[in-house]
């Protein structure tokens, strides 16, 4: 059974979450679980008070089974009394990072694989918004307008990191 997480978080975080799960093309639950797992390593409890900056809304998501065990251990290790504050701190840490930093953390393994494939000049099969294509990755760069990570292929086509999947 999945554990429901519910916390009151600032509106600006909700807006960033919505923007990101739309951009990344992944469900809210998947994004929230990745954020919980990958951004909880860097939290410093109550490092700033963002309660005066924004309105708050209740936010809810379900933890994956893997994250449920981690959640319990994290609460015990940090001796957390206020679980909502823990969630606010994790998601604030996420939201206050630049978009390419958020994306790099969330898709770290994929990014490392892509960087390695550039070094080895590997020919790969990709699933893209345009369908299946074959080629190699020429470069990885940051979109200067919106900040997300771009992947440029050897055919000079450019895709956002979240839009391209390797099939082989």
């Amino acid at each position: 059974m999945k554990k429901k997480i519910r916390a009151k978080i600032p509106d600006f975080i909700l807006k960033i979450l919505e923007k990101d799960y739309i951009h990344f093309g992944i469900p809210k639950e998947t994004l929230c679980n990745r954020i919980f797992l990958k951004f909880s390593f860097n939290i410093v409890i109550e490092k700033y008070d963002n309660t005066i900056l924004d309105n708050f809304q209740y936010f809810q998501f379900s933890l994956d089974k893997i994250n449920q065990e981690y959640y319990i251990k994290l609460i015990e290790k940090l001796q957390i009394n206020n679980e909502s504050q823990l969630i606010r701190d994790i998601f604030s840490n996420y939201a206050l990072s630049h978009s390419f930093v958020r994306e790099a953390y969330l898709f770290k393994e994929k990014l490392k694989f892509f960087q390695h494939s550039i070094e080895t000049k590997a020919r790969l099969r990709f699933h893209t918004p345009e369908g299946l294509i074959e080629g190699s990755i020429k470069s990885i760069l940051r979109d200067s307008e919106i900040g997300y990570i771009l992947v440029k292929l050897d055919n000079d086509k450019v895709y956002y990191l979240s839009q391209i999947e390797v099939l082989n």
Side-chain angles (χ1 to χ4, degrees):
M1 184 171 174
K2 289 188 173 186
K3 177 174 178 51
K4 291 269 186 209
I5 299 296
R6 184 179 164 125
K8 238 180 166 179
I9 63 175
D11 287 343
F12 84 94
I13 295 175
L14 291 174
K15 288 176 184 164
I16 288 172
L17 289 173
E18 183 177 352
K19 178 181 156 193
D20 283 358
Y21 72 73
I22 289 169
H23 177 81
F24 299 147
I26 59 177
K28 178 182 97 172
E29 300 286 322
T30 303
L31 177 62
C32 290
N33 274 279
R34 285 185 184 178
I35 291 168
F36 175 76
L37 182 62
K38 296 188 178 200
F39 281 78
S40 63
F41 293 119
N42 299 330
I43 63 165
V44 177
I45 302 300
E46 298 182 53
K47 63 182 172 192
Y48 51 85
D49 182 9
N50 57 17
T51 59
I52 60 171
L53 301 177
D54 208 349
N55 294 321
F56 282 63
Q57 291 183 37
Y58 280 103
F59 174 72
Q60 185 172 306
F61 69 100
S62 298
L63 281 178
D64 292 340
K65 276 191 171 188
I66 295 169
N67 281 345
Q68 288 179 35
E69 194 173 305
Y70 174 64
Y71 181 76
I72 292 165
K73 288 179 182 176
L74 185 65
I75 288 170
E76 289 171 358
K77 181 181 178 189
L78 297 175
Q79 300 174 345
I80 301 295
N81 296 328
N82 185 341
E83 293 178 30
S84 287
Q85 186 62 46
L86 171 68
I87 297 302
R88 274 192 296 278
D89 289 343
I90 291 169
F91 280 78
S92 290
N93 187 22
Y94 174 80
L96 294 172
S97 299
H98 195 281
S99 54
F100 80 92
V101 173
R102 296 191 308 263
E103 190 172 20
Y105 263 99
L106 292 172
F107 300 100
K108 183 189 281 185
E109 297 80 10
K110 184 179 188 180
L111 195 54
K112 281 184 179 182
F113 177 80
F114 282 6
Q115 289 169 329
H116 178 72
S117 73
I118 290 171
E119 294 166 10
T120 61
K121 298 181 182 178
R123 300 278 305 162
L124 303 167
R125 290 182 58 216
F126 301 99
H127 182 270
T128 70
E130 299 166 352
L132 300 176
I133 59 171
E134 203 169 303
S136 58
I137 298 173
K138 191 174 184 178
S139 62
I140 299 170
L141 37 126
R142 185 175 61 86
D143 183 326
S144 60
E145 289 181 30
I146 62 173
Y148 291 105
I149 299 171
L150 294 168
V151 178
K152 185 174 184 179
L153 302 182
D154 59 356
N155 63 2
D156 289 328
K157 295 257 183 182
V158 178
Y159 301 96
Y160 286 107
L161 179 67
S162 61
Q163 294 179 319
I164 187 170
E165 294 294 328
V166 176
L167 297 177
N168 57 333

